[in-house]
Amino acid sequence: MALLSYSPTQGKAMEQRFTFDQVASVYRETRPDYPEALIDDVVSYAKLKPRDTVLEVGCGTGQATKSFATRDLQILAIEPGAEMVRTARESLANFTNVELLETTFEAWPANKAVFPLIIAAQSWHWVSPEVRFVKAAEVLSPNGSLAVFGHVPVGIPTPLLEQFKGIFLRHTGGWGAPPEAGYLPSGPFKRWFDESRLFGGVEHQCYSWKWQHTTSSYVNFLRTRSDVRMLTPAIREELLGEIAKAIDGEGGEFSLDYETHLYIARRVDPGD
């Protein structure tokens, strides 16, 4: 196995976050859930009680939302994409303890709301740096917690890795660390917490798991990646076609090593 590494559009504007809305239904079907152990650890760290209200920033189609909703918590989930919200409403229709709002975190009118926990699953990097921690601290209760977490691909069979690298280089000219690599300990999340001076010591946890893919499941997953969405339709389809042929050539299925990284800390008052 070797590190998975590709990023044809690094440095693109934060407006990439709105590209997910174009493929909301595919996103719901292909994006993985979050480890149950992570959900339990966050609930325990935040010392949540039944019926406590949790704010979720960027809920997507509800992968993390439903896991927290099953813990007898009230969830206010905000998401900027209209189609993502519509799809999340379908996925979460059986949960009466989830409220969905179509808005960005930046534009959301807090109105003196207070939460013991804010969660952001694979979304915190899309929030404006000037707003992220300041607004989070404003709406957290004293000693309230902010949990930021995301999946990172860390290993793929070497024959496929080499083929994927060649395909991306031919069609995009780029090959670097995947955007999700920011969630690794070498990434910026702990530093962002520390630099805000609004949160106490950051705790980090890593959860390892494997994701089994077929040709179609992996190609559909790639269709939901913001960097692939930013390609022109012609280049995107050519690239995905070659990716499909490469996987078919290796038997039509493979296992991808993943890690989910959690960063969590409590709000502190100035001077504490």
Side-chain angles (χ1 to χ4, degrees), residues 8 18 30 41 70-71 83 154 164 201 208 249 257:
F18 295 104
T30 61
D41 287 345
T70 60
R71 269 69 174 179
E83 280 302 303
V154 294
F164 289 178
S208 299
D257 288 335

Side-chain angles (χ1 to χ4, degrees), residues 129-182:
E130 295 78 17
V131 174
R132 289 174 186 143
F133 293 95
V134 172
K135 193 165 187 176
E138 287 175 353
V139 299
L140 279 171
S141 59
N143 293 315
S145 302
L146 170 62
V148 174
F149 46 96
H151 302 308
V152 185
V154 294
I156 191 171
T158 301
L160 277 177
L161 178 69
E162 293 304 314
Q163 292 181 71
F164 289 178
K165 178 179 179 180
I167 292 166
F168 272 89
L169 285 173
R170 280 197 303 277
H171 290 286
T172 72
W175 183 259
E180 304 99 315

Side-chain angles (χ1 to χ4, degrees), residues 1-238:
M1 303 291 280
L3 180 67
L4 178 60
S5 179
Y6 57 83
S7 183
T9 55
Q10 277 186 321
K12 290 288 186 181
M14 283 176 56
E15 294 313 302
Q16 280 182 260
R17 63 179 165 172
F18 295 104
T19 65
F20 302 118
D21 210 43
Q22 303 163 3
V23 286
S25 61
V26 180
Y27 192 104
R28 175 178 59 187
E29 299 303 322
T30 61
R31 289 296 180 114
D33 292 337
Y34 292 87
E36 289 297 302
L38 181 152
I39 310 300
D40 290 337
D41 287 345
V42 171
V43 170
S44 175
Y45 180 96
K47 301 178 180 178
L48 297 183
K49 305 181 298 297
R51 313 307 293 172
D52 275 350
T53 302
V54 176
L55 173 66
E56 181 176 9
V57 177
C59 69
T61 56
Q63 278 82 353
T65 318
K66 65 174 179 276
S67 293
F68 281 90
T70 60
R71 269 69 174 179
D72 196 24
L73 301 166
Q74 295 291 129
I75 314 295
L76 174 60
I78 61 177
E79 164 60 43
E83 280 302 303
M84 297 290 269
V85 171
R86 183 190 63 78
T87 306
R89 284 203 172 100
E90 292 177 354
S91 301
L92 301 166
N94 292 330
F95 290 95
T96 60
N97 55 330
V98 175
E99 179 184 357
L100 288 155
L101 292 178
E102 182 189 332
T103 182
T104 62
F105 185 51
E106 295 91 328
W108 171 62
N111 296 329
K112 297 183 179 179
V114 178
F115 301 88
L117 174 67
I118 297 174
I119 61 171
Q122 211 91 16
S123 62
W124 199 238
H125 56 292
W126 296 122
V127 181
S128 170
E130 295 78 17
V131 174
R132 289 174 186 143
F133 293 95
V134 172
K135 193 165 187 176
E138 287 175 353
V139 299
L140 279 171
S141 59
N143 293 315
S145 302
L146 170 62
V148 174
F149 46 96
H151 302 308
V152 185
V154 294
I156 191 171
T158 301
L160 277 177
L161 178 69
E162 293 304 314
Q163 292 181 71
F164 289 178
K165 178 179 179 180
I167 292 166
F168 272 89
L169 285 173
R170 280 197 303 277
H171 290 286
T172 72
W175 183 259
E180 304 99 315
Y183 284 91
L184 293 169
S186 58
F189 286 95
K190 182 181 183 304
R191 171 172 54 83
W192 286 348
F193 270 92
D194 293 341
E195 289 176 349
S196 77
R197 300 190 177 186
L198 296 169
F199 290 84
V202 180
E203 292 195 15
H204 167 255
Q205 294 288 341
C206 173
Y207 308 82
S208 299
W209 51 285
K210 289 183 180 292
W211 196 5
Q212 191 68 28
H213 273 292
T214 63
T215 300
S216 61
S217 72
Y218 191 68
V219 168
N220 283 335
F221 165 68
L222 287 182
R223 288 188 185 279
T224 72
R225 288 182 53 100
S226 62
D227 51 1
V228 175
R229 296 304 309 164
M230 295 292 284
L231 300 173
T232 65
I235 291 176
R236 181 169 62 245
E237 293 309 311
E238 289 176 6

